[in-house]
Amino acid sequence: MRAALFPLDGPLRFLLLSSFLIPLGSFMVLPFMSVFLHERLGMGLGTVGVVLAVASLVQFSGGVVGGALADRIGLRRTMLWALIIRTAGFVGLLLALRWPPLAVGALVLTCCGAALYLPANKAYLVHGVDDERRPAFLSAGNAALNAGMAVGPLVAGPFVLSSPGWLFVSVTALFVLVTVGHARLPAAAGARESGGQSAGQGLLAGVAALPFAANALAFYLYFHFQHFLAVYAVERASSTFYSLVLLLCFTVVIVVQPLASGLIRRMPYATALVIGFAGLAAGLAVLAIGTRPALLAGGTLITLGDIVLFLKNDLEALHHSPRSDAVVFGQQRLAAGLGACASGVLGGQVYGLTEQAGNTGWFWLLAAAQCVLLPPALLALRERPARHPTRMMTTTKEH
């Protein structure tokens, strides 16, 4: 891992630091938006649910637009505009304390910024990096991202309702500093700032069908855990214990994925899919037990499964698609958004039915069964051999 990452130049060190600071600032606010919108701004829970569903869909699926924009205007410019938009969103949340209706638009604006930023960020991080080192760079970025996501709620929890104004000011100031730092980043070596070769192609042109479908399915199954663990765990333990489960999951990603990145790269794709979906199935089944140890064990197994699936799907998509890295990452984000949205809609109905039946443990068993029954359908989308002889020809330039 050390040999693959180092030496890191200044821009990449700053980008990894930003990969921690941006989710740190975001997760000082976003995980508490349901509470903030309902209790502080007085929105009904039904309205809050619709707002958060739209925001989540924008944040994930909008990545395909972010990838296309980076393909047209360049990675650095896309990241810079994304951060400006996201900073404006946090300013809007601050102003919403005076005019509550502004909160909805401000939240969507922050999600638009996130959608534009991440594909360009990942593409800049791995720009010009050979195939063997790419998993290490992607894993380091994911570790920084998860560290920020873990720390943000711990820092902001006591202040969300008591002092939201100061919290929003602090987050806005953090994003201003990060934006200024991005303005000083150099363009990726050998990159063109506009007019990429594939800039005129459709958003889904060149999509790698199997990694796209596998990513959508993986996020669909994983977001059963992400969407519905809170209500299930708080019922059986407490909100504090639920936070502990999330912290454990973040820690597993931070520690395990960078160490396992080389192994995941060398692993045959079919093997990675089997291991990943088996981890999800086992973890979801364990959650059905409902005890505190089961919540911790289930969360750990699910996280180990998604570590393999999410990284391997990105690597396979990069290998099999002729499009630029940013477009590929954007397409994979679109798949993630579709899966997460489907999980919220369908999973919510199923969870409601099991709740009415008096045994929500069945929800997790049904989700685990889907982990076994649905992945074989991916066999119909097996990729043909790569359509270009060497992936390095498309990874050594920025479009």
Side-chain angles (χ1 to χ4, degrees):
M1 181 70 186
R2 183 182 297 273
L5 279 177
F6 293 99
L8 280 175
D9 58 21
L12 288 182
R13 285 198 300 269
F14 172 76
L15 207 62
L16 286 175
L17 176 62
S18 298
S19 295
F20 168 76
L21 293 176
I22 289 172
L24 170 69
S26 299
F27 272 68
M28 288 171 66
V29 174
L30 298 182
F32 304 102
M33 284 309 299
S34 58
V35 179
F36 178 75
L37 293 173
H38 179 57
E39 297 190 11
R40 183 79 184 194
L41 301 185
M43 291 186 182
L45 285 175
T47 303
V48 169
V50 172
V51 169
L52 294 181
V54 171
S56 297
L57 186 61
V58 168
Q59 181 166 339
F60 277 100
S61 299
V64 73
V65 178
L69 181 64
D71 205 29
R72 180 173 293 275
I73 70 172
L75 302 179
R76 180 187 58 182
R77 290 178 182 172
T78 300
M79 288 190 291
L80 188 58
W81 278 110
L83 288 170
I84 291 172
I85 291 170
R86 205 163 192 190
T87 303
F90 285 112
V91 171
L93 288 175
L94 178 62
L95 297 177
L97 293 173
R98 294 282 185 175
W99 190 43
L102 191 61
V104 175
L107 176 60
V108 172
L109 202 59
T110 64
C111 292
C112 287
L116 295 177
Y117 180 82
L118 193 60
N121 168 275
K122 284 187 170 184
Y124 193 104
L125 190 63
V126 301
H127 179 79
V129 175
D130 61 70
D131 285 348
E132 289 188 0
R133 300 175 67 204
R134 283 183 161 220
F137 278 77
L138 287 175
S139 296
N142 288 338
L145 178 76
N146 279 272
M149 292 166 64
V151 175
L154 297 178
V155 172
F159 309 108
V160 171
L161 294 180
S162 61
S163 306
W166 285 109
L167 178 62
F168 293 156
V169 166
S170 301
V171 172
T172 302
L174 175 62
F175 269 84
V176 168
L177 292 174
V178 172
T179 303
V180 170
H182 277 69
R184 299 175 62 85
L185 282 175
R192 281 176 290 189
E193 282 298 303
S194 63
Q197 290 178 347
S198 60
Q201 296 184 28
L203 295 179
L204 291 179
V207 68
L210 180 55
F212 183 90
N215 212 43
L217 181 58
F219 271 83
Y220 163 71
L221 295 168
Y222 170 72
F223 263 75
H224 283 69
F225 170 76
Q226 189 80 358
H227 282 314
F228 304 109
L229 181 66
V231 62
Y232 183 77
V234 170
E235 239 177 35
R236 287 158 178 75
S238 66
S239 58
T240 301
F241 190 80
Y242 167 65
S243 299
L244 180 62
V245 174
L246 291 185
L247 184 60
L248 173 64
C249 294
F250 286 132
T251 303
V252 169
V253 175
I254 293 166
V255 174
V256 174
Q257 191 177 71
L259 296 175
S261 60
L263 176 62
I264 294 171
R265 178 187 67 82
R266 295 187 297 271
M267 190 182 295
Y269 192 29
T271 302
L273 292 179
V274 170
I275 292 174
F277 284 116
L280 290 181
L284 290 166
V286 168
L287 288 180
I289 299 172
T291 62
R292 292 192 176 202
L295 294 175
L296 291 171
T300 301
L301 288 169
I302 290 169
T303 303
L304 291 173
D306 79 58
I307 284 173
V308 176
L309 286 172
F310 297 166
L311 179 58
K312 191 64 175 180
N313 284 332
D314 279 354
L315 293 173
E316 285 294 305
L318 287 170
H319 178 69
H320 286 285
S321 174
R323 301 296 297 275
S324 68
D325 296 343
V327 170
V328 173
F329 285 127
Q331 291 171 343
Q332 290 298 97
R333 289 286 289 180
L334 172 62
L338 294 175
C341 184
S343 177
V345 174
L346 299 177
Q349 297 298 319
V350 175
Y351 194 93
L353 291 174
T354 58
E355 189 175 46
Q356 291 174 12
N359 187 357
T360 49
W362 279 105
F363 170 79
W364 304 108
L365 293 176
L366 290 171
Q370 292 180 75
C371 293
V372 176
L373 298 175
L374 295 180
L378 297 173
L379 295 176
L381 296 172
R382 280 191 181 278
E383 287 287 347
R384 297 172 181 174
R387 284 162 288 185
H388 45 279
T390 308
R391 174 63 195 168
M392 286 299 295
M393 293 177 64
T394 59
T395 57
T396 54
K397 61 180 184 297
E398 173 195 357
H399 297 307

